[in-house]
């Protein structure tokens, strides 16, 4: 399901929260340690629901909740698979999410996420434009919420030159 870098994006309609979690679970079965998933979308678009499904697909332990106030949560693997590090970059750089990109990058560096990449999948909510630098190739998921509450996910793989 995850397209190669440069390939057309994959779009999926997700009418319910269960569908959003199921989409995340599919993604989780494809991801391996070292993968970075960058999530974007407005508040309530389903980013945390997608990560709940991702956790099921990866087979990690622990309840997935929004890491908004703790910034990052680690979910250890239940078997031989990778751990999941779930990060919320919304409040990095300031309490209201309006900090400049340089401040966010500095705080992201303080989390040492790059040291986790050898053993974990890192999912960063609000990560596009700030956490891209963790890897040469990231998986971006942009979630939109239509007026009828259906979410639309656009999935693509990026690559830095």
């Amino acid at each position: 399901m995850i397209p190669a870098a440069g390939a057309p994006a994959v779009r999926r309609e997700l009418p319910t929260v269960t569908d959003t979690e199921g989409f995340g679970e599919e993604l989780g079965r494809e991801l391996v340690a070292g993968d970075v998933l960058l999530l974007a979308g407005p508040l309530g678009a389903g980013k945390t629901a997608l990560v709940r499904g991702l956790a099921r697909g990866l087979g990690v332990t622990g309840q997935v909740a929004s890491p908004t106030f703790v910034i990052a949560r680690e979910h250890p693997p239940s078997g031989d698979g990778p751990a999941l590090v779930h990060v919320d970059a919304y409040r990095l750089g300031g309490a209201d999410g309006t900090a400049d990109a340089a401040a966010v990058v500095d705080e992201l560096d303080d989390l040492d996420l790059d040291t986790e990449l050898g053993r974990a999948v890192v999912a960063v909510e609000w990560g596009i434009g700030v956490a891209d630098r963790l890897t040469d190739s990231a998986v971006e998921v942009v979630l939109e919420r239509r007026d009828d509450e259906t979410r639309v996910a656009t999935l693509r793989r990026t690559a830095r030159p």
Side-chain angles (χ1 to χ4, degrees):
M1 165 187 13
I2 300 172
V10 171
R11 287 180 57 86
R12 177 88 63 92
E13 288 194 5
L14 308 166
T16 67
V17 172
T18 301
D19 294 322
T20 303
E21 289 180 4
F23 180 68
E25 190 170 349
E26 287 178 51
L27 280 174
R29 289 193 293 265
E30 290 188 38
L31 298 171
V32 297
D35 280 332
V36 175
L37 188 69
L38 305 173
L39 305 171
L43 292 171
K47 295 177 293 296
T48 301
L50 188 131
V51 176
R52 276 194 306 268
L54 183 73
R56 278 198 312 268
L58 288 169
V60 300
T61 61
Q63 180 181 4
V64 173
S66 176
T68 299
F69 296 103
V70 296
I71 307 300
R73 294 182 191 273
E74 182 173 346
H75 301 278
S78 59
D80 294 336
L84 170 63
V85 177
H86 183 196
V87 180
D88 190 331
Y90 183 74
R91 293 192 185 275
L92 292 179
D96 61 359
T98 59
D100 66 66
V104 173
V105 168
D106 285 345
E107 287 193 38
L108 199 58
D109 281 346
D110 289 343
L111 294 174
D112 286 330
L113 295 176
D114 53 343
T115 63
E116 302 293 330
L117 290 178
R119 59 175 203 76
V121 168
V122 177
V124 185
E125 295 188 27
W126 306 94
I128 295 175
V130 293
D132 314 62
R133 59 199 262 336
L134 291 172
T135 183
D136 290 335
S137 176
V139 177
E140 290 184 356
V141 180
V142 177
L143 292 161
E144 303 167 54
R145 189 171 75 192
R146 297 191 316 219
D147 290 341
D148 66 358
E149 298 301 313
T150 295
R151 273 80 173 162
V152 178
T154 303
L155 173 73
R156 70 185 188 107
R157 183 173 288 277
T158 64
R160 287 192 300 182

